[in-house]
Amino acid sequence: MSNKGLTTAEALERAKQGKNVLTQGKKKSLFSVIAEQFASPLLLLLVAASVISIMTGEIVDGIIIIVVVLANVIIGTVQELSAEKSVEALRRINASTAVVIRDGVETEIPAADLVVGDYVILEAGRVVPADLALEQTSSLKVNESALTGESVAVEKDCSETSDEKTPLGDRKDKAFMSTLVEYGRGEGVVEKIGDHTEIGKISGMLHQIEKQETPLQKNLDSISKVLGIAGVVLCIVMFACQIFIYRTPVIETLMISIAFAVAVIPEGLATVVTLVLTAGIQEMSKRNAIVKQIHAVETLGAVNVICSDKTGTLTQNRMTVVKWYLAGEALEPEELPTDSKVFARLLEGFLACNDAKYSEETGEEIGDPTETAFIKYAKDKKLGYYDIMRDITRFDEIPFDSDRKMMTTLDRVERNGEIKNISYTKGAIDSVIVRCDRILDEDGIREITNEDVVRATQSADIMSSEALRVLALAYREGDTVPQEKDMIFVGLGAMIDPPKEGVKETVDECHHAGIDVAMITGDHKITAFAIAKELDIATDISQSISGAEIDEMDPEEFKKNVLDYRVFARVSPENKVQIVQAFQSHGKICSMTGDGVNDAPSLKAADIGVAMGIGGTEVAKDAAEMILVDDNFITIKNAVMEGRNLFNNIKKSVVYLLRSNFGEVVLMASAIFAGLSSPLSTIQILWVNLLTDTAPSLALGMDVGSDAVMNEKPRDVKAGILNRSDYLNIVIQGLISGGVTLLAFLLPVIMQYGTGNILANLEGNEELLKLCRTYCFSTLAINEMLMAYVCKVKGSLAFTTKESWNNKALNIITVVGVLLQIGILVVPPMRSLLKLATVGTVDIALILFIAVAGVLINAAITLAKERLDIKRERNL
């Protein structure tokens, strides 16, 4: 009977304190998700308009508005229900079983039944089932990438000591829930279970972090509120004028007010923005970026800080040999002599003293990254990997351990018909070189001198300062058992996880675009800074800070100084959230990339969380708004560019819709306040707003993008979606369009009776009023469709440049829309539905002339205003 572990009775008693599972956060009900969709001020306005329309007998109008509302609610609900899965994924990664000692007997139990004090056995391939204090370790290596983000397995050593202040990646005497045992064996006592574990803390952080509304959501809500207030005020004024000044009957007045309210509210705005964002998601998927949250597409365009993980995002996540030391010289791979006997021995030794393998099936190296690097080097450089390994047979070894910092293999090597036993040793230079009494150079084997030791050690130090991982190699011949003494020193191999191709140029593009790039990594500060310096992310070590240093700083001081740092090394999950929130406190729109469980809280806290698609955990993917299919930093830059283009397109759509609605308001208000009848009925306004306005605005939202947007600085999200110039365009263009359509409304009266008493001539003449409304309605619809081209181009006259015509969807929609508008004038059923008069060819020609003339006037005035704006900006 072993005295380790607990008895069953003790375990049952301790189990009362809770199970080894993660608490699941409260999930939103379907009803609450739907209710949130109706919280949009714009949708509430549309609901009110539909109710009033139905109550006053305008059933068709009310139904059309309801359809618009339901479409937006359904799309929003589907997006919301697919977004919140982070905690569920955390629960799924728990180990299913654990090997423990209970009642002195080794037994396997469900991991959920573990209690504090249980004695757990760890073996290669098992997931660590709880947070353990290690009591025995034998060559134990644990992959902690889920917690720290670093893919290289951590060597565990129960003889070392750590505390809560020690970074997770440096706690060699601990093993953490959800990490994977890659090599060796270990035993430990359960210290923490469930929510109290390190991964449990991350789960709790996910519950606490609430996503903020995106800039676009805030801007659209603000516009909706302004439109709502303006609509209510104007309707009240309109109603009062009709009742008390013009003595219009109440029912007629109410119908006029509803028509006016419909003119104020851009019914298609919510639908268009939703569809444009959805199209943006599809476009980004073609660029290896999968966007889960619909409004995240637009947020990307506002990003001015990208916090990027190092391993696998900025770097290749693949150790690569980049330098050698042999015969007293440090050499780049391309500087190696082709006939060097020392290098031949050095390469053979690193391949023989190596537990990694090459898989013919996958075409990849399998094993520890520091070992696969030598196999990859031999294959990439075509140095005869198979020829070398075919002649080597291992028959004994001394495994690596953290005390010796070495591993040794004893191999039977067949060379030129001769068979020798060769013992190869690789490891840290300070452990290897002190056991060598000879050295190999091109002239053969000689006694090692103090100068040889100093020169090799200094070279290793220089390589280490460059963030290279350095291994030394030595050998013996003729042994029957492996030994680590009186060896022959051969040289050094140095490797690094190099930057991905094109990342440096992409970082420079981001800087040019006004986007700061910060590296957040679980790696050591020196290693992280070396990569950051190579990528132009940082220029001085003072721009680097470790998680331990962050913990020692006053939180407010860190927030104040966070903009001074570009490298955040050896950070904890809490540090990552702290970093993101510190950037946000300066008004930054922050993107955060990550792949591990430890990244999930910061991904959720960021304005736009970006998870890795290849190496990312399910938890990270579920917490993020965007997933990179190729795990490449370049894809983030492309997504930001797409987001900027998308925002510009949404802006064009919003300006177009608002100027259209303002033109309708000008038309309605000027006619009614002049004592005229309402120039448009409710259903006619709905036709214009939902059909002839919505289709062109949707086409504008999918306009052709440009790489030139990366020459601009990120937009100020506090400034809103529209600036003063945009609002001025809306007013000017709306006034002109409103004036032109009012002229079209009056034209039949003027042509029939002249410019005399227009009011008296219209009074009681229903046929003439219907003809006036037909002119007005058709002119308005065609004018607004063509105005899309004025909103599309900037800095040139609409219709005169290639840019005006490069949107095929807009061209098709415009042609079809104009033909459809003319068609309803000649098709009796449509004419009847929309309450239009019968017109002839001359009438249609006049309508087209007035509509086009109004557009050309608007285009000329808009261009003149833009040139004045440019001149004013230059003078400033």
Side-chain angles (χ1 to χ4, degrees):
M1 291 281 288
S2 170
N3 59 1
K4 297 176 181 177
L6 304 174
T7 65
T8 300
E10 288 173 328
L12 289 172
E13 182 63 29
R14 297 188 184 193
K16 295 177 183 178
Q17 299 173 13
K19 293 182 75 66
N20 184 34
V21 294
L22 302 179
T23 302
Q24 187 172 11
K26 186 178 180 182
K27 295 176 70 174
K28 292 181 181 178
S29 66
L30 178 61
F31 177 79
S32 64
V33 173
I34 294 174
E36 286 179 4
Q37 308 307 314
F38 279 103
S40 166
L42 186 58
L43 288 186
L44 290 175
L45 285 171
L46 292 176
V47 170
S50 68
V51 171
I52 295 172
S53 295
I54 292 171
M55 288 175 63
T56 55
E58 297 292 336
I59 306 297
V60 175
D61 298 10
I63 290 175
I64 291 173
I65 298 174
I66 288 173
V67 169
V68 174
V69 171
L70 290 178
N72 281 279
V73 170
I74 290 170
I75 294 171
T77 300
V78 170
Q79 290 289 333
E80 180 72 16
L81 290 177
S82 65
E84 292 295 327
K85 298 178 182 176
S86 302
V87 179
E88 289 181 21
L90 277 169
R91 297 184 74 190
R92 287 197 299 270
I93 66 171
N94 276 340
S96 57
T97 61
V99 177
V100 300
I101 294 178
R102 289 268 179 95
D103 299 318
V105 178
E106 189 173 306
T107 184
E108 190 166 3
I109 65 171
D113 293 340
L114 282 176
V115 297
V116 174
D118 262 323
Y119 197 85
V120 177
I121 310 296
L122 298 176
E123 295 174 329
R126 280 198 170 271
V127 175
V128 179
D131 284 5
L132 310 178
L134 297 172
E135 294 200 347
Q136 290 187 30
T137 52
S138 177
S139 303
L140 182 64
K141 292 184 180 181
V142 181
N143 188 320
E144 297 182 339
S145 59
L147 281 175
T148 65
E150 294 308 308
S151 58
V152 178
V154 178
E155 299 160 12
K156 295 295 181 178
D157 185 352
C158 61
S159 65
E160 295 196 16
T161 57
S162 63
D163 55 30
E164 293 295 321
K165 292 184 179 180
T166 307
L168 286 178
D170 293 332
R171 298 184 195 177
K172 303 291 182 66
D173 58 330
K174 309 288 184 185
F176 303 104
M177 177 190 273
S178 84
T179 58
L180 177 66
V181 179
E182 284 194 352
Y183 188 83
R185 180 180 169 86
E187 299 177 6
V189 177
V190 175
E191 279 191 327
K192 298 174 183 176
I193 62 172
D195 292 339
H196 300 289
T197 61
E198 293 300 323
I199 201 170
K201 292 177 184 177
I202 295 172
S203 174
M205 292 168 66
L206 283 172
H207 295 324
Q208 296 167 11
I209 296 170
E210 293 185 6
K211 290 299 294 182
Q212 301 295 316
E213 280 191 318
T214 68
L216 181 63
Q217 287 172 310
K218 292 176 182 177
N219 289 330
L220 288 178
D221 284 349
S222 176
I223 290 172
S224 300
K225 288 173 184 176
V226 170
L227 289 174
I229 293 170
V232 170
V233 170
L234 287 172
C235 282
I236 291 172
V237 172
M238 185 75 64
F239 190 87
C241 288
Q242 291 288 303
I243 292 292
F244 299 111
I245 298 177
Y246 301 111
R247 307 294 180 182
T248 308
V250 174
I251 296 297
E252 185 181 342
T253 300
L254 192 56
M255 295 304 298
I256 291 172
S257 298
I258 292 172
F260 191 81
V262 171
V264 172
I265 302 170
E267 291 86 356
L269 180 59
T271 304
V272 166
V273 171
T274 301
L275 291 175
V276 169
L277 291 174
T278 302
I281 288 176
Q282 294 173 349
E283 184 61 33
M284 285 189 179
S285 68
K286 298 175 185 176
R287 292 180 173 239
N288 294 323
I290 297 173
V291 180
K292 295 163 49 187
Q293 302 283 336
I294 191 166
H295 285 281
V297 186
E298 175 271 336
T299 307
L300 277 164
V303 164
N304 46 29
V305 173
I306 297 176
C307 296
S308 178
D309 187 29
K310 175 181 77 70
T311 307
T313 308
L314 298 172
T315 64
Q316 297 176 15
N317 195 19
R318 193 170 191 175
M319 297 301 289
T320 302
V321 180
V322 293
K323 195 167 284 188
W324 299 94
Y325 175 86
L326 61 153
E329 281 190 280
L331 301 171
E332 305 285 342
E334 57 271 15
E335 297 173 333
L336 287 169
T338 55
D339 57 349
S340 170
K341 297 177 183 178
V342 180
F343 177 69
R345 174 71 72 171
L346 188 61
L347 182 62
E348 179 183 276
F350 276 127
L351 293 176
C353 189
N354 194 320
D355 289 329
K357 303 293 180 187
Y358 179 77
S359 170
E360 291 283 0
E361 292 181 6
T362 63
E364 295 181 351
E365 301 80 26
I366 303 170
D368 186 283
T370 57
E371 295 190 318
T372 60
F374 293 109
I375 297 176
K376 183 176 185 298
Y377 184 89
K379 290 191 69 60
D380 288 351
K381 300 293 184 181
K382 296 180 173 57
L383 298 175
Y385 169 74
Y386 292 112
D387 293 336
I388 295 171
M389 298 306 296
R390 185 172 51 246
D391 298 335
I392 298 173
T393 305
R394 184 186 304 185
F395 64 91
D396 205 351
E397 65 181 290
I398 304 174
F400 176 89
D401 70 52
S402 54
D403 289 330
R404 292 170 28 257
K405 297 181 180 178
M406 295 182 297
M407 75 171 284
T408 297
T409 60
L410 184 55
D411 304 285
R412 187 172 287 108
V413 181
E414 183 177 349
R415 188 180 298 121
N416 300 323
E418 182 182 1
I419 298 177
K420 288 184 178 181
N421 286 355
I422 302 179
S423 174
Y424 282 111
T425 298
K426 82 165 187 288
I429 185 172
D430 54 349
S431 298
V432 173
I433 203 165
V434 295
R435 291 172 169 80
C436 297
D437 58 2
R438 289 160 292 165
I439 189 170
L440 178 68
D441 60 26
E442 296 300 339
D443 296 325
I445 300 169
R446 60 175 175 81
E447 242 184 75
I448 194 168
T449 65
N450 186 58
E451 184 182 351
D452 292 325
V453 173
V454 170
R455 187 179 298 168
T457 304
Q458 287 179 342
S459 288
D461 290 341
I462 291 171
M463 292 177 188
S464 295
S465 69
E466 296 171 346
L468 302 183
R469 185 169 295 169
V470 183
L471 289 177
L473 184 85
Y475 75 102
R476 286 169 55 97
E477 291 186 347
D479 292 323
T480 55
V481 292
Q483 299 186 63
E484 296 175 338
K485 63 178 183 179
D486 302 329
M487 296 185 293
I488 302 165
F489 183 77
V490 184
L492 307 172
M495 66 208 77
I496 196 170
D497 181 10
K500 286 185 175 178
E501 187 176 347
V503 167
K504 183 178 185 297
E505 293 77 10
T506 302
V507 169
D508 292 338
E509 283 183 58
C510 288
H511 290 156
H512 183 67
I515 302 170
D516 294 326
V517 179
M519 177 192 290
I520 300 182
T521 177
D523 215 336
H524 290 283
K525 186 197 283 190
I526 293 176
T527 304
F529 172 70
I531 294 293
K533 186 175 182 181
E534 187 175 347
L535 294 175
D536 288 343
I537 291 175
T539 55
D540 192 87
I541 191 68
S542 63
Q543 294 175 292
S544 305
I545 188 170
S546 69
E549 291 170 321
I550 294 173
D551 291 335
E552 291 174 3
M553 290 178 71
D554 177 76
E556 292 303 316
E557 181 187 357
F558 175 68
K559 276 187 180 180
K560 180 180 177 183
N561 298 322
V562 70
L563 298 181
D564 296 333
Y565 302 110
R566 287 295 174 267
V567 178
F568 302 89
R570 223 61 175 160
V571 290
S572 66
E574 292 86 353
N575 291 147
K576 292 184 179 185
V577 174
Q578 195 176 352
I579 292 164
V580 168
Q581 292 176 340
F583 277 122
Q584 290 171 332
S585 71
H586 288 270
K588 299 291 185 180
I589 302 299
C590 187
S591 167
M592 171 72 190
T593 71
D595 55 7
V597 176
N598 64 317
D599 295 314
S602 53
L603 290 174
K604 193 171 181 181
D607 296 285
I608 173 79
V610 181
M612 303 297 107
I614 299 173
T617 61
E618 287 303 311
V619 180
K621 292 175 186 177
D622 286 335
E625 285 86 13
M626 187 172 86
I627 299 171
L628 300 184
V629 175
D630 56 0
D631 290 12
N632 200 326
F633 182 81
I634 298 172
T635 303
I636 302 175
K637 186 270 296 182
N638 290 337
V640 169
M641 182 173 70
E642 192 67 34
R644 288 189 175 189
N645 278 318
L646 192 71
F647 177 81
N648 288 342
N649 290 345
I650 289 175
K651 184 173 180 176
K652 292 175 188 176
S653 296
V654 172
V655 168
Y656 171 74
L657 285 171
L658 292 183
R659 64 122 251 125
S660 298
N661 282 77
F662 185 69
E664 293 166 17
V665 169
V666 170
L667 168 66
M668 297 287 287
S670 56
I672 293 169
F673 284 127
L676 297 167
S677 296
S678 175
L680 296 171
S681 67
T682 305
I683 195 169
Q684 289 170 350
I685 296 174
L686 281 171
W687 172 275
V688 173
N689 286 358
L690 295 178
L691 297 179
T692 57
D693 277 1
T694 302
S697 65
L698 187 57
L700 281 176
M702 300 174 187
D703 204 8
V704 180
S706 169
D707 292 353
V709 292
M710 294 303 284
N711 296 327
E712 304 168 4
K713 299 300 179 186
R715 72 177 190 276
D716 182 2
V717 293
K718 294 180 181 178
I721 193 168
L722 305 178
N723 55 34
R724 188 172 66 174
S725 179
D726 295 323
Y727 282 114
L728 191 55
N729 277 342
I730 290 169
V731 171
I732 293 172
Q733 292 173 6
L735 285 171
I736 294 171
S737 293
V740 166
T741 48
L742 181 62
L743 174 62
F745 176 71
L746 298 175
L747 190 60
V749 184
I750 294 172
M751 287 192 300
Q752 190 168 342
Y753 298 105
T755 57
N757 195 342
I758 294 175
L759 287 174
N761 291 325
L762 266 177
E763 187 73 32
N765 193 338
E766 291 299 325
E767 286 302 316
L768 182 58
L769 177 60
K770 183 185 284 190
L771 182 62
C772 290
R773 284 179 173 172
T774 301
Y775 263 69
C776 179
F777 167 65
S778 301
T779 301
L780 177 66
I782 295 170
N783 177 275
E784 291 191 358
M785 280 188 283
L786 295 176
M787 276 300 297
Y789 290 91
V790 179
C791 294
K792 179 186 185 322
V793 299
K794 191 172 184 180
S796 60
L797 187 64
F799 309 108
T800 63
T801 62
K802 289 183 179 179
E803 183 191 353
S804 299
W805 306 104
N806 65 2
N807 188 328
K808 292 181 180 178
L810 180 60
N811 296 338
I812 294 170
I813 285 170
T814 302
V815 171
V816 172
V818 171
L819 292 176
L820 177 64
Q821 193 63 35
I822 294 172
I824 64 173
L825 294 176
V826 297
V827 177
M830 291 298 297
R831 213 169 45 224
S832 175
L833 176 66
L834 291 166
K835 303 170 186 176
L836 302 175
T838 303
V839 293
T841 306
V842 174
D843 297 306
I844 294 173
L846 279 172
I847 288 167
L848 286 170
F849 176 79
I850 298 169
V852 172
V855 172
L856 294 177
I857 293 169
N858 247 325
I861 292 176
T862 299
L863 178 61
K865 176 187 166 295
E866 286 176 356
R867 289 179 175 173
L868 283 174
D869 288 341
I870 293 171
K871 188 179 292 186
R872 190 181 299 110
E873 287 176 9
R874 287 174 180 169
N875 292 335
L876 292 175

